[in-house]
Amino acid sequence: MRKKASRTAAALGTGILAVALALTGCTGGGGGTADNTKPVSQSEIDKAMKTPTTLTFWTWVPDIKNEVALFEKKYPAIKVDVENVGQGAPHYQKLRTALKAGKGAPDVAQIEFQYISSFTVTDSLLNLAPYGASDLGDQYVPWVWNQVKQGDGVYAIPQDSGPMGNLYREDILAKAGITTPPKTWDEYAADAATVKEKTGVYMSNLASGQAGQMLGLLWQAGVKPFGYDGKKGVKVDVNSAEAKKVAAYWQDLVQKGYVSTDPDFTDSWYQGLANGKYAGWLTAAWAPVFLQGTAAKTSGLWRAAELPQTPGTKPASGNWGGSSDAVLKTTKNPIAAYELAKFINNDPESTLMFANKQFLFPTSTATLKDPAFVDQQAAFYGGQKVNELFANISTTVDTKFDWLPYMDYAYSSYTETVGKALSAKGDLSAGLDAWQKALVTYGTQQGFSVNK
């Protein structure tokens, strides 16, 4: 899903382990039990999908009723009530409140990749492997599938993702005498200096409070800041030598005035994109369409490219954003709920509709190869096949990247540590050290065993 400012909102308050839930499986019209560990038979599935059932689905995706309608057409006995209870922090707050209360939770809920473990640690999500999810893995981009897996369990079906690339103003670079986008990070730094000198424009913006963007850049560099064993063991290593090398690179560009640190998704930032304040945006695959609405008057001036690379290494990218649909363990209709999550994110017609009408960047390999998606030529980008470019970029994202089971706090503490250092154009190494200390302290307080 497209990244909003609310995605990096403050922590939701209560500690993760403090709200651990005593969830029990229960039988309902959908058939099966919510804590089932045995493979569900085809006869059980057939019976469940012919049994009159109403499911509740919490999601913030606009017009998702169109995909749901395809599901209801295939399974006329199943009715789906789609509810948007908010996006970002409000969505998760209401979901956790309902789970803690033991009532009011939906059957299926949209959850961003980085928050899945914060729900598995409280045993709130249904393991979908017994329902057939384990057979779906080869139908999704490998790194995406790893985002919804823990051990032998599968806890959600991928919906969209955000592999990162470089959207840049071809006209601004040309004014500075640059005819091709930078291929390496050294070239990027050199071009940033030239662009500033020749045009007075910032090469890009590294938003001071946007942890998602920085984590995507760390991901590309092979940094492994987090780890989680699925139980009580976590790894926090945000201030590793590798992470500090990335931070030092950006600190240099920021302090020289080549890259700005403006808060993103604000009116002034939108105006900056539209008015040529920035020569580019290192961003995710959901951004090309977003930018077309934000900076419509600049149509034809933008182009897309891969992120700059490190010489001597394989092509690599990171990810920023993306979400999945998970089945809550409290559901009374686990089979029907799983089939809904699977259908809308696996059926070819549904996934192509997500990609071409709601502009969610696909996670299924079939959609990423579908000519109806990859062959589109975007006038905003000079006729470039931007979807094809990002589809290829998606194959270069490192498959091994974990999250903490308390990413709500991780994001808010980033703003208070690294974000403050960025905003002040200060010492990012010290900011990473402060972030490390905050994450270790918080994790220990919440009962986790924290290792570096």
Side-chain angles (χ1 to χ4, degrees), residues 60 64 115 268-269 274 281 291 406 433:
W60 57 81
I64 200 170
Y115 295 126
S268 60
W269 179 77
W281 183 20
L291 188 60
Y406 49 94
D433 288 339

Side-chain angles (χ1 to χ4, degrees), residues 18-39:
V19 297
L21 309 171
L23 300 176
T24 57
C26 47
T27 304
T33 57
D35 60 353
N36 181 40
T37 57
K38 297 180 180 180

Side-chain angles (χ1 to χ4, degrees), residues 65-86:
K65 289 184 177 180
N66 295 325
E67 286 81 5
V68 169
L70 296 175
F71 171 81
E72 292 176 324
K73 182 178 180 180
K74 182 175 182 179
Y75 302 106
I78 313 296
K79 182 180 183 298
V80 182
D81 290 334
V82 177
E83 299 180 10
N84 183 340
V85 299

Side-chain angles (χ1 to χ4, degrees), residues 217-228:
L217 294 171
L218 293 174
W219 192 334
Q220 189 223 14
V223 179
K224 302 292 189 294
F226 311 125
Y228 176 50

Side-chain angles (χ1 to χ4, degrees), residues 33 70 143 201 255 364 400:
T33 57
L70 296 175
W143 73 265
V201 173
Q255 290 181 342
S364 75
K400 295 180 174 62

Side-chain angles (χ1 to χ4, degrees), residues 319-331:
N319 181 72
W320 175 11
S323 67
S324 64
D325 290 317
V327 177
L328 277 296
K329 205 171 183 182
T330 48
T331 181

